[in-house]
Amino acid sequence: MKEILVIGAGAAGIMAALAAAEAGARVYLFEKNDIVGKKMGITGKGRCNLTNSCSMADFIAHTPGHGKFLYSAYEQFTNQDLLDKLHTWGLATKEERGGRIFPQSDSAIEVRKLFYRKLCQKGVDLHLSDAVHAVKAWGSRMVVSAASGNYESDACIITTGGMSYPVTGSTGDGYGFARSLGHSVTELKPSLIPFTTEETWPHTLSGLSLRNVEASLWKRGKKAASHFGEMLFTHFGVSGPIILMLSTEAAHKKSCAFPMQLRIDLKPALSKEKLDARLRRDFEKYIR
Ligand SMILES: Cc1cc2nc3c(=O)[nH]c(=O)nc-3n(C[C@H](O)[C@H](O)[C@H](O)COP(=O)(O)OP(=O)(O)OC[C@H]3O[C@@H](n4cnc5c(N)ncnc54)[C@H](O)[C@@H]3O)c2cc1C
């Protein structure tokens, strides 16, 4: 029987461990936290946006950078495959605006608990509160050094996540493991993040949320990227869906890399003339 070591029990590690166990391997899953899927429990504002009903081509188009590398993975496991699996396991789901799919219960914790039950049912050997600190290749065998001791296996899957929300356990350990095994790690860039503004006046508007506005990034007098929709002011700058989308472009597109200027058009659907006419009309109407 093949032995597989999986490091990190987030969404990726849990799915990898379950797939390996279903294929007949003996699986050991190491997690530094005392529960599996800690980050999963806070996703989708506590509701866990499981997937989207859009086409695989749309998933790739919306992936920042070079989404095409996901073609083969998506060909083997689609959004529908995930839903079929979750439904078979007894999780009811619902579709909301924009094709977003959530558990019927609106509870990310329910999803986390379901995955935990499945890991137990499939006989995955769970090592909770057992942080891994080194991974080595020993001929054709892999050796993992964890807090509880050294473990040998036929293969090792590193699913330690990125570096966002380190309080959930994702502190970027996997990059070091991959480097120590001879892999190259590309430059790390933040994505889907709010902006801190140099000016302090936006902080005074903290809590104000705007709809149907256009936010755009400008560099050397040129518009480099723009999005239309919702945004909000925070105590440090700006956030909300269109700002998060712009942050991804700022991280990946040279044409709008930091430092850049952010402009907000509060009435993007109106021409200057129409806006001027509307303001004049409002002044006349409310002058008394
Ligand atoms: C606030 C927020 C909301 C989000 N909402 C959604 C959403 O609604 N829908 C969605 O699809 N995505 C959402 N995401 C993104 C999603 O959470 C991540 O894409 C996903 O968690 C990545 O899964 P992962 O398994 O790769 O990594 P992680 O979930 O980060 O899991 C990695 C695991 O590895 C463990 N680990 C790390 N190092 C070690 C070590 N040395 N030894 C042992 N264990 C280790 C960590 O403790 C962690 O449990 C959200 C992210 C955030 C921050």
Side-chain angles (χ1 to χ4, degrees):
M1 186 190 257
K2 287 250 184 228
E3 284 187 316
I4 313 276
L5 301 176
V6 183
I7 312 172
I14 294 171
M15 290 302 280
L18 288 172
E22 279 168 7
R26 176 107 187 88
V27 186
Y28 300 83
L29 175 55
F30 291 85
E31 170 54 53
K32 62 161 83 151
N33 292 315
D34 57 0
I35 53 168
V36 303
K38 189 167 181 182
K39 186 178 276 177
M40 205 189 284
I42 57 161
T43 55
K45 293 189 182 148
R47 298 169 64 218
C48 190
N49 183 185
L50 293 160
T51 185
N52 195 286
S53 62
C54 68
S55 68
M56 289 295 114
D58 277 346
F59 270 106
I60 285 169
H62 287 102
T63 303
H66 305 288
K68 284 185 182 161
F69 85 96
L70 288 166
Y71 261 122
S72 71
Y74 283 159
E75 227 165 68
Q76 289 173 62
F77 195 78
T78 66
N79 46 358
Q80 196 51 52
D81 290 330
L82 174 69
L83 290 177
D84 289 347
K85 208 173 243 307
L86 294 174
H87 294 161
T88 318
W89 290 348
L91 185 85
T93 60
K94 59 178 172 181
E95 185 169 334
E96 292 189 6
R97 182 173 46 86
R100 296 169 309 152
I101 303 198
F102 292 92
Q104 189 77 50
S105 61
D106 282 331
S107 166
I109 303 291
E110 187 197 354
V111 182
R112 183 162 64 66
K113 286 185 175 166
L114 172 69
F115 279 123
Y116 175 71
R117 281 200 306 279
K118 283 291 144 191
L119 289 167
C120 298
Q121 275 172 20
K122 301 278 174 195
V124 172
D125 199 334
L126 268 178
H127 283 241
L128 296 177
S129 305
D130 202 359
V132 169
H133 51 84
V135 183
K136 288 196 178 94
W138 193 261
S140 62
R141 306 281 290 164
M142 297 300 297
V143 182
V144 159
S145 303
S148 63
N150 291 337
Y151 299 82
E152 232 186 281
S153 68
D154 297 291
C156 172
I157 303 175
I158 301 173
T159 48
T160 43
M163 294 186 78
S164 65
Y165 266 76
V167 70
T168 61
S170 332
T171 44
D173 301 8
Y175 303 123
F177 299 153
R179 275 194 205 101
S180 74
L181 291 166
H183 291 289
S184 51
V185 176
T186 53
E187 189 194 346
L188 302 176
K189 293 176 180 173
S191 213
L192 294 174
I193 47 158
F195 286 142
T196 301
T197 54
E198 220 169 66
E199 300 82 356
T200 50
W201 66 261
H203 312 179
T204 63
L205 299 176
S206 179
L208 175 69
S209 104
L210 304 171
R211 283 175 162 219
N212 303 324
V213 297
E214 186 194 86
S216 50
L217 293 181
W218 291 69
K219 189 128 181 146
R220 291 182 209 97
K222 275 193 185 157
K223 191 196 266 191
S226 72
H227 285 286
F228 174 83
E230 289 173 41
M231 63 162 284
L232 79 144
F233 290 93
T234 66
H235 62 283
F236 53 81
V238 284
S239 187
I242 57 174
I243 300 295
L244 300 191
M245 284 193 276
L246 283 178
S247 76
T248 298
E249 280 163 280
H252 292 275
K253 269 192 191 170
K254 264 199 183 138
S255 59
C256 48
F258 295 95
M260 76 327 229
Q261 192 185 42
L262 172 75
R263 294 189 191 174
I264 304 163
D265 186 344
L266 300 176
K267 289 282 174 201
L270 298 182
S271 65
K272 263 188 182 164
E273 294 71 30
K274 275 194 178 158
L275 182 62
D276 187 56
R278 186 174 285 189
L279 285 173
R280 280 172 195 278
R281 206 177 54 219
D282 283 353
F283 274 131
E284 271 170 34
K285 195 168 162 191
Y286 300 112
I287 202 153
R288 267 165 257 123

